[in-house]
Amino acid sequence: MRLAEYRYRTVTAVRGPLLFLARVFAARIGEVVTIIAPDGRRIDGEVLKIDGDLVVVQVFGDTVGLDTDRTEVRFTDVVKLAPLGLGCLGRIFDGSFRPRDGLPMFTPERWQPVSGAPFNPVARAHPEEFIETGVSAIDGLNTLVKGQKLPVFTCAGLPARELTEQLLRQARLPAGGPFVLVFVALGLTHFEYQHYARTLAELTGEYVAFVNLADEPVIERLLAPRLGLTVAEELAFAGGLDVLVIIADMANYCDALREVATAREELPGRRGYPGHMYSDLASLYERAGRLRDRRGSVTLLPVVTMPEDDITHPIPDLTGYITEGQLVLSRQLHQLGIFPPIDVLPSLSRLMNHGIGEAHTRADHRDLAGRLYRAYAKGRELRRLEAVVGRDGLLEDDRRMLDFATRFEQAFVHQGAARRTIAETLDLGARLLAEFGQGPPC
Amino acid sequence: MSGQVISISGATVRIDLPGLKVGDRVLVGVQRLPGEVVRLHGAQAIVQVFEENRGLGVGEPVRDGGGPLKVVLGPGLLGQVFDGLQRPLPELRRLDGAFMRRGSDPFPLDLARRWTFRPGLAAGAAVAPGDLLGTVREGHLDHPIFARESGEVAWLAAGELPLAAPVARLAGGGELPLWQAWPVRRPRPSRGKQVPARPLVTGQRALDLLFPLFKGGVAIIPGGFGTGKTVLEQSIAKYADVDVVVYVGCGERGNEMAGLLDEFASLEDPRSGRPLMERTIVVANTSNMPVAARESSIFTAVSMAEYYRDLGLDVLFLADSLSRWAEALREISAALEEMPGEDGYPTYLGSKLAAFIERAGVVETAAGGTGSLSMILAVSPPGADFSEPVTQACLRVAGAFYQLDTRLAHRRHFPAINWTQSYSQHADPAAVCFDGDHPGWGEQRRRLRELLQREDELREVAEVVGMEGLQERDRLLMRTAERLRLEFLCQNSFTADAYSAPAATLQRLAAILVEHDRIGAALDSGLTYSEALAREVCDAPR
């Protein structure tokens, strides 16, 4: 522990978001610094690398206007901490935890490092409590449970925002307990954000928002999700609340990560993204969960726009390897006017099996979901065959399956803005199967 | 000896502490974060720190940790859950709470736990390393305690004693404890390797019948996300016919580990009737835990697996996933600014992986018995592209390849093992072994493969002419092949079907083939396909 704040005017270089300093005494890795630009502007930064008395600082803001003569850097001797307390509820902050709703900063009750600490794996409780989202394609076939991390994989131009907003409005726990929402906007346009802001304002429950827009510092995109998750963990595990965290859009986070890695002259990996992106994403996603001996939960729904609609692109690929499944939006379904355009075939909820059945939803849920899925998959496969041999070249049974697939998309997946209870979803599914002679085996 | 921190870049720290060797353990900073020396430069050493090191400052003290990174081996490992450095996670939870704090370092085994020792020789006997001193009862097995020094036994314990107490004293005054420490990076020695010859029954129909593995063999399971690697690994962990299972969650999901621990605590081992956890050691280093500890986790785990192998047992080592280990290696290598090879992986990826996989095998133990260590390793190729370096490096040394197919997974065909691409070098000799116990195994296996192969060819034709355009014989074949896929190769891990004993496997296959033959005979007798099928549905004994 150093006794005083240290101030330096020893900047030797500025490169992208990085600041290089010389002759620094006893710096700490991850230490927070305050940079005072020649015009008096104050920007936060963090120590990235120390080599003897040479220090590399990552600047959380714009480095335009910094120089090597007059720029002052103050070392604070602490790592990045987030202010915590119930005063944050109902507030909107920027990517550095400054209020952006015009109100004064709340009085923090305590401070915690933003990087968090990993759960001890044996302290985790396995997620198995059903969350009713009111969306049939999710509740029926890709059930979300408390403490799960389930991303929405979307393509440019698809209504991921509309789906997320619908989830924000509709998601509820069967027991009826309150959901606290933590919303993290990363690199969103003003247009998108205005919609989200309206939905937030109309919510009946509590929320906290961290907003970094497309024209705001890129580097804050690395910080904002950590602030959001630190707040979420506090609300969940100290406050005993059930927290739903929505982060949109993780593609912007990954691009920010690539930008910093390149400035640090790290070796680029696939598509220029750094080799440590998997571990970095895991350090965010893995903060979702439940604990054995405590109430409260953190459920995470990141939105990931797949560049070039490509699910094998590193961003969705690495995300899919960490999260417990994915909801995949489809351009074809969107073209057909189906909302939400969730393609249930590549979608998956890995924790579904534990969150459905008699104790959670309904005894016939698992069987029904399996039969719906198989029938739809069969119909979709036959569409390819139909394209080659024509409808007349198919057996009668196969023609029926083909019709089922279309009906399933239009009646089950498509629901517009309506909210369906789990019972309505399951009844609808059973009705569709019966209509096409796919009822329960006798 | 004590030195200090000179520079810090991520988890890579340069220190000035003379007298260290590569591989030595050091304690870094005031929080005494454990680290391993990876490179030496004069009196300076580069250290890979095993814990999150935010807040670590230059100038902080560094201490020698006393030799290389070690694991503790002895009774009490079974049923335990460790992190990648063999710290007992339940104990850490008791000490630090639900989140991992830094710097805690409890002893891996419970030193106060009492064991009942049954001496195997009398005081006065001369022993050499590898000689049996006696046994303690650990769960479902008798855990032999071997001498590790030679000399004359002056005193030997009997009855209950805590793990901390010596089990024997030698005439020269040396004490033999119940436990020992072993450097994780060094393979444990044996009297030599033997040729694997006993099949490993996994209870997975597709694996046991099509691609069986011998005990002591190595299989890899590569598959994109959502193809069911973890579920398959866990099913094998539950039902494989081995004495001890070592399961490493290497850089994977925390919720999955929680699910596994819940399930293993509540499920019974079908052979011994005792909780499954009693035969299992879990090493959990989830994806958000420090990367360097993830790299060492597979070595920690394999050392424990070798220890039980050396007791003359059949041990199965499961890792999920080896790709996360390779990525940890890549991150460390990049931090050291080494010249990268393919996809940024260090060029020594292949040799390091080969040396690790070669720790599997059947050995003659020091005590003269036979022990086996089999490995089934999940691989997570980016973008499900199997040409990537980790899959390819594994293929050069693994004897079996269970390729998981994204297309099958999307059809909910689980386990999504692609039957045309997968292989096992042990398949044919292992099938001969199965055939000995279950007559007809080899023949049915041959027919299954032939039918699946024919279906593949016919499918192309059917896509052009439609099913109606196929000959009746071929329509029958397509029908049978579909049944084989849905009712034989598919296996639900969440129902009673999760385990299929070899006899049940063979019976299920035979039933489908018998029906195929019956309808075939009806076709031969002049009936049309629909008539033959209708007769089958109405009359056939089910």
Side-chain angles (χ1 to χ4, degrees):
Chain A
M1 194 76 180
R2 300 190 307 261
L3 294 173
E5 194 177 74
Y6 278 82
R7 300 165 178 222
Y8 294 93
R9 286 198 176 183
T10 52
V11 175
T12 56
V14 185
R15 191 199 302 153
L18 303 184
L19 209 61
F20 294 75
L21 286 102
R23 302 193 301 282
V24 177
F25 171 69
R28 295 174 183 282
I29 195 88
E31 180 173 351
V32 174
V33 301
T34 306
I35 300 145
I36 296 148
D39 62 3
R41 193 164 57 103
R42 284 163 171 262
I43 322 164
D44 278 352
E46 189 180 286
V47 174
L48 264 191
K49 187 173 174 175
I50 315 166
D51 191 355
D53 64 355
L54 304 174
V55 168
V56 182
V57 167
Q58 172 173 320
V59 183
F60 289 113
D62 207 339
T63 47
V64 171
L66 298 187
D67 68 358
T68 53
D69 295 337
R70 287 171 301 159
T71 299
E72 182 180 303
V73 181
R74 295 183 187 170
F75 283 69
T76 59
D77 202 28
V78 289
V79 297
K80 188 77 184 169
L81 300 171
L84 299 170
L86 291 175
C88 68
L89 290 175
R91 301 292 307 273
I92 300 179
F93 303 94
D94 73 1
S96 293
F97 224 133
R98 286 180 295 248
R100 63 182 295 152
D101 49 10
L103 300 172
M105 186 64 186
F106 69 97
T107 313
E109 288 157 35
R110 55 200 204 110
W111 297 76
Q112 282 288 316
V114 297
S115 52
F119 286 97
N120 183 327
V122 300
R124 269 186 194 269
H126 194 246
E128 53 193 18
E129 286 166 79
F130 168 64
I131 296 174
E132 191 182 78
T133 63
V135 176
S136 293
I138 301 175
D139 293 349
L141 292 175
N142 297 288
T143 317
L144 177 68
V145 296
K146 240 165 75 174
Q148 184 172 13
K149 39 194 183 295
L150 190 67
V152 178
F153 285 179
T154 179
C155 310
L158 295 189
R161 193 198 73 235
E162 287 83 343
L163 174 61
T164 340
E165 285 172 340
Q166 190 165 1
L167 297 177
L168 288 183
R169 281 193 301 268
Q170 296 184 348
R172 67 175 75 129
L173 296 161
F179 243 134
V180 178
L181 191 82
V182 173
F183 178 70
V184 183
L186 301 177
L188 291 191
T189 61
H190 280 86
F191 174 77
E192 285 170 309
Y193 174 61
Q194 274 161 7
H195 282 92
Y196 275 121
R198 196 177 317 138
T199 310
L200 286 177
E202 287 165 1
L203 285 181
T204 48
E206 296 280 11
Y207 71 89
V208 189
F210 294 89
V211 176
N212 166 276
L213 297 182
D215 55 357
E216 291 174 344
V218 166
I219 214 85
E220 282 187 353
R221 284 168 208 164
L222 300 181
L223 193 57
R226 294 186 163 80
L227 295 176
L229 286 161
T230 307
V231 167
E233 274 175 359
E234 172 79 5
L235 293 171
F237 304 122
L241 300 168
D242 290 309
V243 185
L244 181 64
V245 183
I246 295 193
I247 307 180
D249 180 319
M250 283 304 290
N252 294 330
Y253 174 87
C254 293
D255 284 357
L257 198 66
R258 177 167 67 176
E259 209 173 308
V260 175
T262 315
R264 290 182 66 177
E265 299 186 336
E266 285 178 21
L267 283 169
R270 263 206 309 158
R271 303 264 189 134
Y273 293 96
H276 56 78
M277 192 157 86
Y278 176 82
S279 303
D280 191 280
L281 288 174
S283 74
L284 297 180
Y285 295 146
E286 278 289 326
R287 292 174 79 172
R290 287 167 66 226
L291 289 174
R292 273 178 203 278
D293 48 4
R294 277 187 241 185
R295 294 192 308 130
S297 64
V298 175
T299 308
L300 183 59
L301 280 178
V303 177
V304 180
T305 299
M306 300 183 283
E308 302 160 42
D309 299 7
D310 178 8
I311 201 168
T312 66
H313 184 281
I315 299 173
D317 192 48
L318 295 180
T319 297
Y321 271 124
I322 305 165
T323 54
E324 284 123 2
Q326 63 277 338
L327 298 170
V328 183
L329 303 193
S330 141
R331 211 175 271 288
Q332 282 79 17
L333 292 179
H334 180 57
Q335 297 293 356
L336 293 170
I338 287 162
F339 180 85
I342 297 174
D343 185 352
V344 299
L345 294 192
S347 297
L348 171 74
S349 165
R350 293 166 186 270
L351 301 179
M352 169 172 178
N353 251 306
H354 300 274
I356 62 173
E358 203 164 0
H360 305 280
T361 55
R362 224 165 70 179
D364 60 343
H365 190 163
R366 191 167 294 130
D367 169 62
L368 212 51
R371 283 190 290 129
L372 280 170
Y373 187 96
R374 276 193 301 275
Y376 179 59
K378 178 91 186 164
R380 279 273 295 266
E381 202 177 299
L382 287 165
R383 271 188 200 160
R384 283 194 310 123
L385 199 56
E386 186 199 16
V388 184
V389 300
R391 193 177 161 87
D392 293 341
L394 294 177
L395 302 173
E396 196 193 319
D397 280 357
D398 289 351
R399 286 202 292 269
R400 197 161 60 223
M401 294 315 291
L402 214 51
D403 295 339
F404 172 81
T406 310
R407 185 92 171 89
F408 176 81
E409 287 168 358
Q410 284 167 355
F412 189 87
V413 178
H414 179 68
Q415 68 180 81
R419 184 179 202 290
R420 292 191 195 135
T421 64
I422 181 68
E424 286 166 350
T425 291
L426 295 179
D427 288 345
L428 174 63
R431 214 160 53 236
L432 287 180
L433 285 169
E435 225 177 276
F436 287 85
Q438 301 291 312
C442 38
Chain B
M1 278 296 257
S2 141
Q4 59 172 353
V5 174
I6 296 172
S7 74
I8 312 167
S9 171
T12 311
V13 172
R14 192 148 47 90
I15 59 171
D16 72 339
L17 182 62
L20 289 171
K21 293 185 283 297
V22 171
D24 274 0
R25 191 164 170 270
V26 287
L27 298 167
V28 180
V30 286
Q31 288 191 297
R32 301 170 68 90
L33 307 175
E36 187 180 17
V37 175
V38 290
R39 201 183 268 178
L40 291 172
H41 232 288
Q44 296 188 348
I46 312 275
V47 171
Q48 191 62 38
V49 178
F50 288 124
E51 289 201 69
E52 163 66 42
N53 62 354
R54 268 167 186 274
L56 178 68
V58 290
E60 286 195 31
V62 182
R63 276 173 216 86
D64 190 335
L69 184 66
K70 293 190 186 86
V71 281
V72 170
L73 304 171
L77 291 173
L78 293 181
Q80 192 48 276
V81 186
F82 299 105
D83 76 350
L85 301 174
Q86 211 201 15
R87 290 181 297 192
L89 289 171
E91 182 64 11
L92 278 184
R93 181 182 173 213
R94 207 180 56 75
L95 293 173
D96 296 341
F99 293 91
M100 303 286 280
R101 307 269 170 239
R102 293 185 283 178
S104 296
D105 192 18
F107 193 76
L109 294 175
D110 180 359
L111 286 168
R113 181 164 168 191
R114 301 183 75 82
W115 297 91
T116 306
F117 179 73
R118 276 186 313 192
L121 45 79
V127 292
D131 285 354
L132 185 77
L133 294 173
T135 59
V136 296
R137 187 75 189 168
E138 185 184 13
H140 65 298
L141 50 93
D142 280 320
H143 184 128
I145 306 295
F146 296 116
R148 285 184 305 281
E149 284 174 47
S150 21
E152 188 193 321
V153 178
W155 169 85
L156 193 66
E160 275 208 4
L161 76 161
L163 186 69
V167 69
R169 230 170 257 125
L170 296 179
E175 287 186 343
L176 298 176
L178 275 173
W179 58 272
Q180 57 180 299
W182 185 264
V184 297
R185 311 251 178 216
R186 196 188 319 153
R188 287 176 59 82
S190 67
R191 285 200 196 165
K193 288 206 169 181
Q194 299 175 347
V195 180
R198 289 172 301 141
L200 176 78
V201 178
T202 63
Q204 295 290 316
R205 285 190 288 272
L207 296 184
D208 289 346
L209 197 95
L210 288 173
F211 312 111
L213 192 67
F214 276 132
K215 283 179 179 151
V218 180
I220 63 163
I221 309 181
F225 67 77
T227 52
K229 291 183 295 296
T230 303
V231 175
L232 184 57
E233 287 262 306
Q234 295 190 358
S235 298
I236 296 172
K238 286 177 206 162
Y239 302 114
D241 70 330
V242 291
D243 302 307
V244 171
V245 170
V246 179
Y247 189 98
V248 199
C250 175
E252 287 285 317
R253 304 176 180 91
N255 280 334
E256 268 169 8
M257 290 313 303
L260 176 129
L261 295 174
D262 274 357
E263 247 191 307
F264 277 43
S266 61
L267 284 179
E268 259 184 20
D269 177 0
R271 265 162 302 275
S272 68
R274 305 180 62 116
L276 205 50
M277 200 59 207
E278 275 190 13
R279 71 161 196 177
T280 312
I281 304 171
V282 174
V283 175
N285 213 93
T286 55
S287 56
N288 56 339
M289 288 160 80
V291 165
R294 189 199 302 167
E295 195 278 325
S296 68
S297 67
I298 64 166
F299 295 99
T300 301
V302 81
S303 303
M304 292 190 275
E306 283 176 337
Y307 172 72
Y308 281 95
R309 173 203 70 186
D310 291 347
L311 304 182
L313 301 169
D314 290 322
V315 184
L316 175 60
F317 175 95
L318 297 153
D320 183 17
S321 123
L322 211 56
S323 295
R324 306 297 164 226
W325 169 80
E327 284 163 13
L329 198 68
R330 176 169 70 183
E331 278 184 42
I332 296 167
S333 163
L336 294 173
E337 297 177 351
E338 291 174 338
M339 188 78 88
E342 204 180 343
D343 279 0
Y345 288 104
T347 46
Y348 50 80
L349 170 71
S351 52
K352 200 156 179 171
L353 198 67
F356 169 75
I357 285 180
E358 277 298 289
R359 290 175 79 162
V362 181
V363 299
E364 187 186 347
T365 63
T370 304
S372 74
L373 171 53
S374 320
M375 290 184 179
I376 299 184
L377 311 165
V379 176
S380 320
D385 170 12
F386 299 108
S387 66
E388 58 95 32
V390 182
T391 310
Q392 290 305 315
C394 285
L395 275 181
R396 258 171 266 143
V397 272
F401 172 60
Y402 303 152
Q403 192 205 83
L404 299 188
D405 191 319
T406 312
R407 266 185 22 258
L408 289 176
H410 282 183
R411 294 213 302 255
R412 296 292 196 266
H413 175 114
F414 288 114
I417 298 162
N418 180 315
W419 51 87
T420 45
Q421 296 296 314
S422 303
Y423 65 79
S424 163
Q425 289 172 349
H426 300 161
D428 292 334
V432 172
C433 295
F434 276 114
D435 202 51
D437 295 333
H438 308 278
W441 186 278
E443 170 59 15
Q444 309 276 33
R445 177 169 180 267
R446 189 193 59 72
R447 288 196 62 193
L448 170 69
R449 294 174 64 183
E450 187 184 300
L451 283 166
L452 292 173
Q453 178 60 38
R454 277 288 289 152
E455 186 202 21
D456 236 27
E457 296 159 15
L458 279 175
R459 186 184 295 271
E460 288 173 20
V461 181
E463 287 195 354
V464 181
V465 301
M467 280 294 262
E468 294 277 18
L470 287 185
Q471 294 189 357
E472 302 211 313
R473 270 271 166 198
D474 292 343
R475 280 180 68 180
L476 170 61
L477 188 142
M478 293 297 278
R479 177 180 184 272
T480 304
E482 183 173 9
R483 282 198 67 190
L484 288 172
R485 281 189 282 110
L486 297 180
E487 295 168 41
F488 183 78
L489 294 178
C490 282
Q491 194 170 345
N492 190 333
S493 296
F494 301 100
T495 63
D497 192 30
Y499 172 73
S500 178
T505 296
L506 186 62
Q507 201 179 8
R508 187 182 278 241
L509 176 58
I512 299 172
L513 294 178
V514 163
E515 190 203 78
H516 175 81
D517 292 342
R518 217 164 32 227
I519 304 177
L523 291 182
D524 288 341
S525 73
L527 293 181
T528 66
Y529 177 67
S530 354
E531 285 166 355
L533 210 58
R535 199 176 76 172
E536 180 66 27
V537 173
C538 299
D539 309 341
R542 282 272 171 182

